[in-house]
Amino acid sequence: MLSLFARHIASHLPVLRTNVLSSSVLTASAFVATRRTFFTTRRIQLPAAASKSASAPAKKTTKKTTKKTTATKAAPKKAEATKEAKSKPKSKAISKKTIERPPPKRVPKSEQPPSRPPNGYLLFFSRLVQDRRNDIKTAMDTQDLAKEAATMWNGFTLAEKQPYYNEVEVLKKQYEEKLNEYWKSASPKTLREINARRKHDGRNKIHRPHQENHYKRPKGPFFRFIEHFRQSDDGRTIQEAGVTATGRGAVNVAREAGARWRAMSASDKAPYVEAYQKEYADWQANHPSKSASS
């Protein structure tokens, strides 16, 4: 454009043609140079793109700062909430383990099996308590009476203790009769209720005796002798001695009975052997299937 304009001016002004031509040449060369450099120079990156890339991390930092500020603002609220939670009483979490079931109901005494009879000393002590019930007012009086009863019982002779032993034997027979009558009328439901209550109290369960207890094989001669020796005066003195260096009272009775049985002659053992043979013959006649299997 500049060269054409210069030529047009030069054609109308002949005086300045030379000068104009020279200037037009210069301008044309300068234009070519500039045009050349325009196409050959490297492309410069626009500053706008650089500003966008530079401003991107700045926005992230602002987001982080805003998050921090919001977190710091929310922190006091959380602290207040924790304080309120601590001030309020915690409600106990209900779970299956913490729930305590109610204890099983007590079975009336009339529906329970009869109680076992006491031994000789307990029978003596109960009689002594009945005689001195007016003097017993506190628990210490009962303890003092128990100590006195123990010293009195240990000072008794076998003849003085024998009436109590005889009465215990009578009570045992009555107890066995009552127990047999009880098991005839006791229902399985009552037995389950009794065992549930005994388990809750930490006591052993009771079991219905087997229906074929009277079908058992009779005891041998030696076991008959042990029962007889346990009820004798010598056996009772060993039992009353309690725990000794050789063992408990029941162990000492069995040990002494075994030593005496081995020292006995055949004529001394004959009554026990004959009683066993007689009962065994009756048992074999009434229950042949049981005797054959045994």
Side-chain angles (χ1 to χ4, degrees):
M1 292 291 292
L2 186 59
S3 61
L4 293 173
F5 180 71
R7 288 175 185 175
H8 179 71
I9 292 172
S11 61
H12 286 84
L13 296 173
V15 179
L16 299 173
R17 184 174 295 179
T18 56
N19 297 329
V20 173
L21 286 172
S22 60
S23 61
S24 64
V25 172
L26 292 173
T27 54
S29 62
F31 178 74
V32 173
T34 54
R35 187 173 57 182
R36 239 178 230 173
T37 54
F38 179 78
F39 287 105
T40 55
T41 51
R42 295 181 65 183
R43 187 173 182 181
I44 300 172
Q45 194 172 6
L46 295 174
S51 63
K52 286 183 180 180
S53 61
S55 62
K59 290 182 180 179
K60 291 182 179 178
T61 53
T62 53
K63 287 183 180 179
K64 289 182 180 178
T65 53
T66 52
K67 285 183 180 178
K68 287 182 180 179
T69 53
T70 53
T72 52
K73 287 180 180 179
K77 293 183 179 179
K78 287 184 179 179
E80 291 176 359
T82 52
K83 286 181 181 179
E84 290 178 359
K86 287 181 180 178
S87 62
K88 291 181 180 179
K90 294 182 179 179
S91 59
K92 294 182 180 179
I94 300 172
S95 60
K96 293 182 180 180
K97 293 183 180 179
T98 56
I99 295 174
E100 294 183 359
R101 295 181 179 179
K105 66 177 183 179
R106 293 183 178 274
V107 181
K109 194 172 182 180
S110 59
E111 298 180 7
Q112 295 182 9
S115 56
R116 292 178 177 273
N119 55 15
Y121 169 70
L122 292 178
L123 186 62
F124 163 73
F125 180 68
S126 62
R127 298 286 171 79
L128 188 64
V129 169
Q130 290 177 1
D131 295 339
R132 299 186 184 182
R133 63 178 178 273
N134 295 328
D135 300 334
I136 300 172
K137 296 179 180 179
T138 60
M140 295 298 295
D141 296 339
T142 307
Q143 293 179 3
D144 296 338
L145 185 61
K147 293 178 182 178
E148 184 181 355
T151 54
M152 291 174 63
W153 181 260
N154 293 329
F156 285 169
T157 60
L158 289 175
E160 292 174 341
K161 294 178 180 179
Q162 192 62 39
Y164 298 100
Y165 291 143
N166 295 336
E167 190 172 355
V168 168
E169 293 298 326
V170 175
L171 293 175
K172 282 183 178 179
K173 291 180 181 179
Q174 294 176 359
Y175 165 74
E176 291 176 356
E177 292 175 358
K178 291 179 181 178
L179 189 63
N180 292 333
E181 293 295 328
Y182 172 78
W183 287 122
K184 289 179 182 179
S185 59
S187 62
K189 181 181 178 181
T190 305
L191 184 60
R192 287 195 298 269
E193 292 177 354
I194 292 171
N195 287 331
R197 185 66 192 187
R198 291 176 71 91
K199 183 180 179 181
H200 179 267
D201 297 340
R203 295 184 293 171
N204 296 328
K205 295 182 180 181
I206 58 174
H207 300 281
R208 185 186 295 274
H210 201 269
Q211 296 180 356
E212 297 180 355
N213 277 344
H214 57 286
Y215 295 150
K216 285 185 177 180
R217 186 171 180 170
K219 295 180 180 179
F222 173 66
F223 293 101
R224 293 172 181 273
F225 171 73
I226 287 180
E227 287 184 354
H228 182 265
F229 178 73
R230 189 179 289 112
Q231 296 174 2
S232 64
D233 296 339
D234 295 341
R236 284 174 178 168
T237 51
I238 295 172
Q239 286 183 353
E240 291 172 2
V243 180
T244 60
T246 55
R248 295 180 299 173
V251 177
N252 294 332
V253 168
R255 187 182 290 110
E256 183 64 22
R260 294 193 181 189
W261 177 261
R262 289 189 294 271
M264 289 171 63
S265 61
S267 59
D268 295 334
K269 296 179 181 179
Y272 303 101
V273 175
E274 291 175 358
Y276 165 71
Q277 289 177 352
K278 183 179 179 181
E279 288 188 9
Y280 180 76
D282 295 339
W283 176 76
Q284 191 175 11
N286 295 326
H287 311 288
S289 59
K290 297 288 180 182
S291 60
S293 62
S294 62

